[in-house]
Amino acid sequence: DVKVTQSSRYLVKRTGEKVFLECVQDMDHENMFWYRQDPGLGLRLIYFSYDVKMKEKGDIPEGYSVSREKKERFSLILESASTNQTSMYLCASSFGPNYGYTFGSGTRLTVV
Amino acid sequence: DQQVKQNSPSLSVQEGRISILNCDYTNSMFDYFLWYKKYPAEGPTFLISISSIKDKNEDGRFTVFLNKSAKHLSLHIVPSQPGDSAVYFCAASASTDSWGKLQFGAGTQVVVTP
C-alpha cells in the first residue's frame, strides 16, 4: 500500500524552539508539498519541492524553511516557533499535473 | 486571495438524502478539479476528480459536475450515509503549472444525521 508517512501525529513545542516535521513517501514521486490547515482557511501551501535539493515558496512561507536531501524525504522546519504556527501540518506527494496528491496523516502542532 | 471558494462552511443532511456541495473558482487557467474528504486527525483522501474537457464524472454514489462558463463545480452524494460525515475540500490545478500545485477551498463540514 503506497504511503506518505509523517513522523509525528501530535507535537507540543515551546515558543522560540526550532521544530522539525518529517515526511517520507514510498511512491517515487518527484513532487512533495507542505500545507497547513486552519479552520475557515482550508489548506494553504507553505513550500514545495520538485526534485532533490530543489524547493519553491508557496503562499505562506514566512517563518518556515524546508529541506529535501533525498527524493523520498521532505522536511519542514520552523526556525523559531511562534504561537501563530499552531496548526495541522499536512505533507503530500504527487507525480505532477493532473495526478492529484497523496497526503500523510498530518501532524497537529501546538506551540505554547 | 482565495482562488477556490467553498462558501458553505457546513451542511447537515439526513441519511438517505442527497448532499450537494458547491465550489467556485476564479482562475480561468484551472482545468483539473478534485474533491478530497477529510476525517478529524487524518490526512485528506482523494474522492473524485474531473477534467475541464468533461462536465460530469461519476463514481458510485459520488458525482461531480463542472460548469466552466460559471466557474462552478458541485459534488453530489446520493444516498448520503453516516460514514460520509467529514470535511470535504474542493481543489483545482492548471496543467500549465509544471508541478501540479493544488489550490484548495476552505472546506465544507458535512454531517449526516440518522
Side-chain angles (χ1 to χ4, degrees):
Chain A
D1 195 17
V2 294
K3 270 190 183 174
V4 176
T5 303
Q6 293 183 234
S7 54
S8 304
R9 294 298 296 271
Y10 300 94
L11 275 179
V12 180
K13 296 291 181 181
R14 295 196 179 275
T15 301
E17 275 193 78
K18 191 168 186 175
V19 181
F20 292 85
L21 302 183
E22 306 287 344
C23 175
V24 177
Q25 53 100 359
D26 64 1
M27 294 166 285
D28 202 33
H29 283 169
E30 301 292 334
N31 304 327
M32 296 187 75
F33 306 84
W34 277 105
Y35 284 81
R36 61 179 282 178
Q37 181 201 354
D38 300 289
L41 297 175
L43 279 67
R44 294 180 292 165
L45 181 63
I46 304 171
Y47 265 98
F48 68 99
S49 168
Y50 52 92
D51 202 350
V52 174
K53 297 192 186 296
M54 306 305 289
K55 61 186 179 184
E56 292 284 341
K57 293 179 180 179
D59 299 318
I60 51 164
E62 296 78 18
Y64 303 95
S65 62
V66 290
S67 172
R68 193 165 181 202
E69 297 296 321
K70 294 184 177 181
K71 187 176 184 179
E72 66 270 19
R73 186 178 296 270
F74 191 35
S75 303
L76 180 69
I77 304 157
L78 286 66
E79 298 291 343
S80 176
S82 64
T83 54
N84 64 11
Q85 292 178 309
T86 291
S87 187
M88 168 70 89
Y89 289 87
L90 293 161
C91 175
S93 70
S94 169
F95 277 120
N98 295 351
Y99 279 94
Y101 294 171
T102 301
F103 280 93
S105 297
T107 297
R108 170 69 66 184
L109 173 67
T110 302
V111 182
V112 298
Chain B
D1 185 31
Q2 276 203 304
Q3 299 180 60
V4 178
K5 297 178 183 178
Q6 294 176 256
N7 292 319
S8 297
S10 64
L11 173 70
S12 183
V13 64
Q14 269 193 315
E15 183 177 1
R17 307 293 285 265
I18 184 171
S19 295
I20 300 176
L21 290 75
N22 293 303
C23 178
D24 297 293
Y25 61 96
T26 57
N27 188 339
S28 57
M29 299 301 292
F30 288 152
D31 55 9
Y32 184 60
F33 304 90
L34 309 91
W35 287 93
Y36 282 83
K37 176 180 178 180
K38 186 181 185 299
Y39 294 117
E42 293 184 16
T45 54
F46 170 75
L47 197 55
I48 193 168
S49 64
I50 188 167
S51 162
S52 61
I53 61 173
K54 292 182 154 186
D55 54 19
K56 178 182 172 181
N57 190 28
E58 276 184 88
D59 185 1
R61 297 186 297 115
F62 303 93
T63 303
V64 56
F65 296 92
L66 175 62
N67 182 334
K68 289 185 289 293
S69 61
K71 293 191 177 70
H72 176 84
L73 62 155
S74 61
L75 174 68
H76 292 207
I77 307 173
V78 184
S80 299
Q81 298 175 353
D84 296 332
S85 296
V87 178
Y88 291 78
F89 291 100
C90 173
S93 70
S95 54
T96 51
D97 179 332
S98 307
W99 305 292
K101 295 194 305 294
L102 294 180
Q103 293 287 338
F104 287 86
T108 297
Q109 172 76 60
V110 172
V111 176
V112 179
T113 56

